[in-house]
Amino acid sequence: MNLSMKWLSDYIKKDITTAEFCSGMTMSGSKVECFETEGSEIKNVVVGKLLSVVPHENSDHLVVCQVDVGQGEPIQIVTGAPNVSAGDIVPVALVGAELPGGIKIKKGKLRGVESCGMLCSLGELGLTTHDFPYAIADGIFLIEEECEIGQDIHEAIGLNDTSVEFEITSNRPDCLSVVGLAREAAVTFDTELCLEEPSFKGVEDDINKYLKVDIENETLCPRYAAGIVKNVKIGPSPRWMRERLRASGVRPINNLVDITNYVMLEYGQPMHAFDLRYVKDSHIIVRNAKDGEEITTLDGQERKLSSEMLVIADSEKPIAVAGVMGGEYSGIMDDTTTVVFESAYFEPVQVRRTAKKLGMRTDASARYEKGLDAEGCLRSLTRALQLVEELGAGEPVTTHIDVVKNIKPRNEIPFDPAWINGFLGTDISEEEMIKTLNGLGIEVKDGKCISPSFRIDLERPADIAEEVARIYGYNNIPSTVLTGAANAILTPEQKYLRTIENTMVSLGCCGILTYSFTSPKCFDKIGLPADSKLRDTITIMNPLGEDTSIMRTTTLPSMLDILSGNYKNRNASVKLFEIGKEYIPTEEGKLPNEPTRLTIGMYGDNIDFFDMKGTIDALLAEAGIYDCEYVRCSESNEFEETCALHPGRSAVILCKGQAIGYLGEIHPAVQETYGFGTRVYAAKLNINEMMPLSVTEITYQPSPKFPAITRDLSLLCEDSLPVGTMEKAIKNAVGKILEKVTLFDVYKGKQIAEGMKSVSFSISMRSHEGTLTDEQADAAMKRVLKSLGDLGASLRE
């Protein structure tokens, strides 16, 4: 919403600088985005009078002008404009002047004749013929305004208004108007709001002789008011109205159209003016459109309507889309003689759906869809007819049609000053509260606040407290220590997630956050089979684009996208993690399951598979997950996306027989798809499945009283035998005296046969009942060798 400061001065008489106004309005809840002064790019341009205009001696199309600019001696300017003559009043850019577009005026010569400035056209001042209808677009701007020679051009033609841009939230449609913002300003700066009730004399006549109005859908249109203007005189609007419309970002057109736009900006009520000639049988019907019905709107586009849309129709056809845009032949033309002014209330949701379905978002629909003041329809209509009368644009008929069906009553909210002070932590007097509320149009009566019809957002006591607080000043509310029985604690799930997050950071990983929606193409990028269940996704109804059209069923592609971006940006070594959700579809019509996943990704010159495994081991230990084993991905079908991993450098993580995650090197083909030139490693852990398996209680373990015995084994086995399987066999064979098994070497090369490998373990044994003997240790080693022998492993000689 753009607010003209000149327009505001009609309602607020207090002298306030623009900076003070912007700051105060923002602090009281009406956020100011920016402000701009018209003509700020124009400097050193003044009003001049042409004393003489003579042909250029060396050119057929140039003329030499002597110009009085109020500096005593006239200046000489050469121009090629054909529309100038002696006595004309024109804008003159003096030497050193600046114009829009970075143009700077310098003294020069044209065909040997000195020129000390430039005569300006409308375009060179950043204006159009809509701003000054009497001017021409392709010639010098001949000023017809009352002005003085030498006067600054800004003041001379009214190009000196300041426009303040507000960001209006959807719950405050009343502030999409000059009156609404003026009301806020009056309370903010503790001054009087100068607002008069509109009225007009009109001509005595019965409107029912000219027009009939019926509402068929009372739910979507509870109120429709109409007025008639006879003997219409189409012409340009006065300068003051054109200036205000321009400062508000609206292009002036003609007096009647400008009046409807002016009232919309002033009161926030969109209006439309119909040419009565094109209203069949002079009968307006507010009804639902018929399926297949069509209308050509004012923008010249033919649009197909459907039965859920509301239209303004005559006895034969639709003539406007209610709350959105009028029909092609409903507008004002040069030969229009009788006009119908419409001021109505249309149901907000219906207007939004219609505008969206037709692909039409207009100033009117933007206001209607937020919810307007149904009680303000007649006030806006009266204001429009008042302006018609003041501008001499026609003869408004004194009577009007006002069809009222079902207007929502005003909200009544309990008023309890003690509760408000307790809620805010303030000590504001009841009198000050009432003064504030009355200034905002909220009546306080019999212990209740009666919401004004234009405040659709006031529903509960907290809303009243907010009104008091924002005008009192949030910065004036003292800071206090939190009191009461508040004792916020983290839930077990939150504690667990925080432990995981802190652990990942301590392991040198950086957290990332990616979108939950992704592209269907992500499954092809990781090589997921066409029949995979992960391709069964939830499709977003109104996506931003194809790349964000589905909810992800796996977090792996999101991690690879971020890793790929880092690699392309030449980050040499990266370790990342993300705690995010996957969205797994359930039965049709039900919400999806949203399990929480931890995804880890890394690459770098000194990073390999064992760095990833070490990270996982450290995390699981901190998360209370013990006795895990790693198995080949081919031995588990729990994770379909492991097809994106290298088959020989990947594993599924099991805890107590349950798959809780996977890790591995990304498959070379997938690495190539994402543009990697190095080995990349990824892992995913199912946090929801980990939590029940987590051992959160810490059990005290006394220091050992008896010494340990350590035995090292170097074994020869087939290369295909997993080390994890061998380690598991060792643990089972040693039994309860086992303290720790440590893998310290895996060797393949010289002195080792093809297809074989050497694996070395360090086995630590200890008894808590007494000192172990060599015989007990030897017996344990015999069991180990037998168990490993069953797997095809033997002692290396």
Side-chain angles (χ1 to χ4, degrees):
M1 172 69 188
N2 293 335
L3 175 66
S4 160
M5 293 299 287
K6 281 187 178 180
W7 200 343
L8 178 70
S9 66
D10 285 354
Y11 304 101
I12 303 296
K13 304 302 182 183
K14 190 172 184 177
D15 188 19
I16 309 168
T17 67
T18 302
E20 290 173 342
F21 176 77
C22 294
S23 176
M25 292 296 284
T26 298
M27 290 301 293
S28 67
S30 301
K31 183 183 176 185
V32 174
E33 286 289 313
C34 61
F35 67 88
E36 181 180 2
T37 301
E38 288 181 317
S40 58
E41 294 179 302
I42 300 173
K43 297 178 181 178
N44 208 20
V45 178
V46 299
V47 176
K49 182 177 181 179
L50 301 184
L51 301 178
S52 66
V53 178
V54 298
H56 193 292
E57 57 185 12
N58 298 321
S59 173
D60 295 333
H61 66 278
L62 296 176
V63 293
V64 180
C65 305
Q66 297 298 321
V67 188
D68 179 7
V69 293
Q71 296 180 355
E73 293 295 323
I75 63 172
Q76 180 173 284
I77 295 178
V78 179
T79 180
N83 68 318
V84 294
S85 58
D88 288 342
I89 306 298
V90 296
V92 181
L94 303 176
V95 174
E98 296 181 11
L99 297 174
I103 299 173
K104 294 185 178 181
I105 305 302
K106 300 178 180 178
K107 183 186 292 187
K109 287 186 178 182
L110 294 176
R111 298 286 182 93
V113 177
E114 187 176 62
S115 182
C116 301
M118 185 180 81
L119 307 184
C120 299
S121 66
L122 279 175
E124 287 162 338
L125 296 175
L127 301 170
T128 69
T129 53
H130 292 285
D131 301 304
F132 292 92
Y134 60 79
I136 62 175
D138 55 355
I140 298 301
F141 176 25
L142 305 182
I143 301 174
E144 297 181 6
E145 315 298 318
E146 292 186 6
C147 54
E148 298 177 1
I149 304 303
Q151 185 179 11
D152 185 83
I153 197 66
H154 298 91
E155 297 178 4
I157 63 174
L159 193 62
N160 56 352
D161 198 355
T162 297
S163 178
V164 179
E165 181 182 347
F166 286 87
E167 180 185 322
I168 305 300
T169 54
S170 59
N171 66 320
R172 291 300 305 274
D174 60 298
C175 287
L176 289 170
S177 66
V178 177
V179 170
L181 289 172
R183 184 184 296 109
E184 290 288 314
V187 180
T188 298
F189 297 102
D190 192 22
T191 188
E192 181 184 359
L193 175 65
C194 302
L195 178 63
E196 297 179 359
E197 194 67 22
S199 64
F200 66 98
K201 293 180 179 179
V203 293
E204 292 293 337
D205 208 341
D206 183 5
I207 192 174
N208 295 299
K209 294 192 305 185
Y210 301 91
L211 185 68
K212 180 182 179 183
V213 175
D214 286 313
I215 299 176
E216 291 185 0
N217 192 327
E218 301 175 3
T219 302
L220 299 185
C221 179
R223 188 171 193 177
Y224 191 98
I228 289 286
V229 177
K230 302 189 297 182
N231 300 322
V232 168
K233 299 173 185 177
I234 304 298
S237 301
R239 176 178 144 182
W240 63 265
M241 179 175 282
R242 299 197 307 268
E243 288 178 1
R244 293 181 179 188
L245 291 175
R246 182 180 68 231
S248 302
V250 176
R251 186 184 68 181
I253 298 175
N254 61 50
N255 49 6
L256 286 186
V257 174
D258 291 350
I259 285 171
T260 61
N261 288 331
Y262 189 90
V263 173
M264 179 182 71
L265 293 170
E266 187 174 36
Y267 284 95
Q269 171 69 51
M271 298 189 67
H272 189 67
F274 296 97
D275 189 330
L276 188 59
R277 292 176 301 175
Y278 299 105
V279 180
K280 183 73 173 177
D281 298 329
S282 299
H283 188 189
I284 287 180
I285 306 168
V286 185
R287 62 171 173 82
N288 284 77
K290 299 171 185 176
D291 282 325
E293 218 168 16
E294 295 183 350
I295 183 174
T296 301
T297 47
L298 282 171
D299 58 1
Q301 299 293 316
E302 189 172 290
R303 305 183 187 276
K304 193 171 183 178
L305 306 174
S306 53
S307 58
E308 72 273 10
M309 299 177 182
L310 192 71
V311 296
I312 311 301
D314 57 21
S315 58
E316 185 179 82
K317 63 188 181 302
I319 57 176
V321 181
V324 183
M325 186 179 287
E328 183 176 28
Y329 296 105
S330 68
I332 304 303
M333 303 180 184
D334 291 340
D335 60 347
T336 298
T337 58
T338 306
V339 166
V340 179
F341 276 104
E342 165 198 278
S343 180
Y345 178 87
F346 301 117
E347 198 275 326
V349 175
Q350 176 271 329
V351 172
R352 177 173 175 78
R353 288 175 177 170
T354 298
K356 186 176 180 181
K357 191 168 184 179
L358 294 178
M360 303 166 63
R361 184 167 176 83
T362 61
D363 285 339
S365 68
R367 284 171 164 80
Y368 273 120
E369 68 188 27
K370 291 177 175 63
L372 299 181
D373 178 11
E375 295 185 21
C377 293
L378 197 56
R379 184 189 310 113
S380 300
L381 177 63
T382 304
R383 176 58 170 157
L385 298 177
Q386 179 188 33
L387 289 170
V388 169
E389 190 172 69
E390 290 178 357
L391 271 55
E395 300 174 353
V397 173
T398 52
T399 57
H400 61 268
I401 293 175
D402 187 15
V403 183
V404 183
K405 294 295 183 180
N406 183 24
I407 295 180
K408 183 181 177 182
R410 300 185 183 189
N411 290 333
E412 294 187 358
I413 307 163
F415 175 61
D416 185 349
W419 181 88
I420 292 175
N421 277 322
F423 183 70
L424 299 176
T426 56
D427 186 20
I428 306 172
S429 67
E430 181 177 347
E431 291 74 18
E432 187 175 352
M433 290 184 188
I434 293 175
K435 178 184 176 183
T436 295
L437 295 174
N438 288 341
L440 294 169
I442 303 169
E443 182 183 358
V444 181
K445 185 178 179 181
D446 299 329
K448 293 182 179 179
C449 291
I450 302 173
S451 170
S453 57
F454 53 81
R455 289 297 301 273
I456 62 172
D457 59 313
L458 301 180
E459 298 177 342
R460 54 186 67 85
D463 296 331
I464 300 299
E466 181 184 6
E467 297 301 296
V468 172
R470 67 186 183 87
I471 302 302
Y472 177 74
Y474 293 117
N475 54 315
N476 294 324
I477 298 176
S479 299
T480 56
V481 177
L482 186 65
T483 59
N487 186 23
I489 59 173
L490 297 176
T491 65
E493 182 180 2
Q494 290 171 330
K495 290 180 180 179
Y496 199 69
L497 290 175
R498 185 162 294 186
T499 298
I500 291 175
E501 185 175 359
N502 291 338
T503 302
M504 292 306 301
V505 171
S506 69
L507 291 170
C509 298
C510 296
I512 63 171
L513 184 64
T514 61
Y515 289 122
S516 297
F517 36 79
T518 186
S519 168
K521 298 177 182 178
C522 72
F523 301 123
D524 296 328
K525 293 177 72 174
I526 64 172
L528 200 68
D531 58 350
S532 171
K533 291 181 180 179
L534 293 179
R535 290 182 180 267
D536 181 16
T537 61
I538 296 169
T539 303
I540 300 172
M541 294 180 63
N542 56 340
L544 298 174
E546 184 184 2
D547 290 344
T548 54
S549 60
I550 63 169
M551 303 301 291
R552 66 186 179 191
T553 53
T554 171
T555 55
L556 181 60
S558 300
M559 175 58 71
L560 292 177
D561 282 334
I562 303 300
L563 288 172
S564 175
N566 277 274
Y567 182 79
K568 291 173 183 176
N569 288 333
R570 299 186 178 183
N571 289 327
S573 181
V574 173
K575 292 183 178 181
L576 305 175
F577 77 94
E578 178 185 22
I579 298 176
K581 291 185 179 294
E582 295 175 339
Y583 299 83
I584 311 301
T586 54
E587 299 178 23
E588 187 175 352
K590 293 188 177 181
L591 293 174
N593 290 328
E594 300 181 21
T596 303
R597 306 302 191 209
L598 169 67
T599 315
I600 308 171
M602 59 180 69
Y603 70 82
D605 293 339
N606 298 318
I607 293 176
D608 59 16
F609 176 87
F610 297 103
D611 287 293
M612 175 63 82
K613 184 175 180 297
T615 298
I616 297 295
D617 287 340
L619 172 66
L620 293 177
E622 287 295 323
I625 305 295
Y626 305 107
D627 299 325
C628 292
E629 57 180 310
Y630 296 81
V631 301
R632 286 191 176 94
C633 293
S634 59
E635 298 178 24
S636 173
N637 58 0
E638 185 70 24
F639 301 99
E640 295 186 61
E641 66 262 46
T642 53
C643 62
L645 303 180
H646 192 298
R649 300 169 188 161
S650 57
V652 170
I653 308 166
L654 302 179
C655 180
K656 299 179 181 178
Q658 182 177 350
I660 60 171
Y662 63 80
L663 77 157
E665 180 184 322
I666 299 299
H667 196 286
V670 177
Q671 291 183 22
E672 183 178 355
T673 300
Y674 280 91
F676 291 110
T678 187
R679 291 183 178 182
V680 181
Y681 303 90
K684 187 178 85 172
L685 292 174
N686 295 352
I687 295 178
N688 295 80
E689 285 77 0
M690 289 168 56
M691 284 186 64
L693 300 172
S694 174
V695 179
T696 57
E697 291 185 1
I698 300 176
T699 304
Y700 168 72
Q701 294 287 343
S703 299
K705 298 180 180 179
F706 306 103
I709 293 180
T710 300
R711 298 289 174 88
D712 293 341
L713 291 178
S714 289
L715 305 162
L716 193 65
C717 64
E718 293 183 0
D719 192 20
S720 59
L721 180 62
V723 172
T725 301
M726 299 172 69
E727 185 176 320
K728 185 177 180 181
I730 293 172
K731 290 179 179 179
N732 292 334
V734 175
K736 63 180 182 179
I737 64 172
L738 178 68
E739 186 172 71
K740 183 170 61 174
V741 178
T742 304
L743 172 71
F744 65 86
D745 185 53
V746 176
Y747 175 74
K748 291 182 285 187
K750 293 180 179 180
Q751 301 178 349
I752 302 296
E754 186 73 23
M756 303 294 284
K757 64 183 176 183
S758 172
V759 182
S760 300
F761 292 97
S762 176
I763 304 172
S764 177
M765 296 170 285
R766 189 195 306 268
S767 173
H768 295 286
E769 299 174 356
T771 301
L772 281 178
T773 63
D774 287 338
E775 290 77 11
Q776 289 174 304
D778 291 341
M781 286 299 97
K782 288 181 181 179
R783 295 195 300 271
V784 167
L785 292 174
K786 182 179 184 303
S787 182
L788 292 173
D790 294 339
L791 298 175
S794 59
L795 277 175
R796 180 181 174 187
E797 297 179 357

